[in-house]
Amino acid sequence: ERSLEQAVSASSTMWPCPSPDCPNRVALDDGQEPRLQCPQCGKEHCLVCHATPYHNGKTCQEHAAASGASSSSGGNNRTTLDEEASLRDWMERTGSRQCPRCKMGVTKEDLGRQKSQRAECHKMMCRNCETRFCFKCLTVLTSSTTCGCTGDNHGFIHPKTGRWVSHLRKGR
């Protein structure tokens, strides 16, 4: 299972089902519609923007715009804008970032005790999609690429198992 998760995290063509706790992972070829009718959880999703159900005939941006328009026609667009501003404020206050792949909010534990952003390890693994990335610059990290913000000898802590996961393959 760990090897599969490593492959999914390192691949730009492998995607996890957006349903929380769904173990399904799928390959998506270039140009293929990012639609998933998940046989494990039974839900239909867009693998890119995580819309449920899939937005037939619309791009992710068109779907987001239409969703915003439908909420404004219901009279609650102001509430949505207030909620988004509140979320951005909270992320700023807590030092949270968004996963570069699935956009889930990610925080560093005990951020207040860290000496500085330059002195601490920035390697993170998203709890939602298990993408490995740099918390500082948001570069997606693979077994053969690095960003240089943290030493290459540092690894990741798997968010679900708590186990250490190496970053670069040996010989690099």
Side-chain angles (χ1 to χ4, degrees):
E1 183 180 328
R2 192 167 105 181
S3 294
L4 174 62
E5 294 307 325
Q6 288 173 335
V8 170
S9 296
S11 173
S12 62
T13 61
M14 294 286 293
W15 295 84
C17 174
S19 290
D21 300 322
C22 181
N24 193 24
R25 306 296 185 255
V26 296
L28 187 64
D29 294 327
D30 285 338
Q32 184 180 354
E33 184 179 54
R35 178 187 207 146
L36 170 65
Q37 179 64 52
C38 184
Q40 295 204 2
C41 70
K43 295 181 181 172
E44 181 186 55
H45 303 281
C46 174
L47 292 171
V48 176
C49 71
H50 298 178
T52 302
Y54 184 78
H55 44 77
N56 286 320
K58 295 179 184 173
T59 66
C60 296
Q61 292 79 11
E62 291 167 343
H63 172 71
S67 295
S70 66
S71 37
S72 65
S73 65
N76 62 359
N77 190 42
R78 182 76 218 149
T79 302
T80 302
L81 292 175
D82 289 345
E83 289 168 351
E84 288 175 10
S86 178
L87 176 61
R88 281 192 301 275
D89 289 345
W90 175 82
M91 288 182 75
E92 181 80 25
R93 277 193 324 275
T94 61
S96 300
R97 305 293 299 266
Q98 286 184 298
C99 169
R101 186 165 192 193
C102 73
K103 306 302 180 206
M104 179 67 72
V106 178
T107 60
K108 280 188 172 185
E109 191 170 303
D110 227 355
L111 191 61
R113 290 184 40 186
Q114 294 186 15
K115 294 175 188 152
S116 76
Q117 287 293 354
R118 286 182 286 289
E120 303 296 328
C121 178
H122 302 292
K123 292 185 179 174
M124 299 291 283
M125 185 180 287
C126 177
R127 180 176 292 277
N128 183 55
C129 69
E130 298 190 9
T131 294
R132 298 169 190 180
F133 67 98
C134 176
F135 193 79
K136 183 177 180 183
C137 71
L138 297 178
T139 297
V140 174
L141 304 171
T142 68
S143 61
S144 61
T145 61
T146 187
C147 63
C149 293
T150 300
D152 290 343
N153 61 333
H154 285 224
F156 303 88
I157 300 299
H158 193 284
K160 294 179 182 169
T161 66
R163 292 186 179 150
W164 186 84
V165 178
S166 64
H167 174 195
L168 297 173
R169 284 186 296 238
K170 289 185 183 351
R172 169 147 159 63

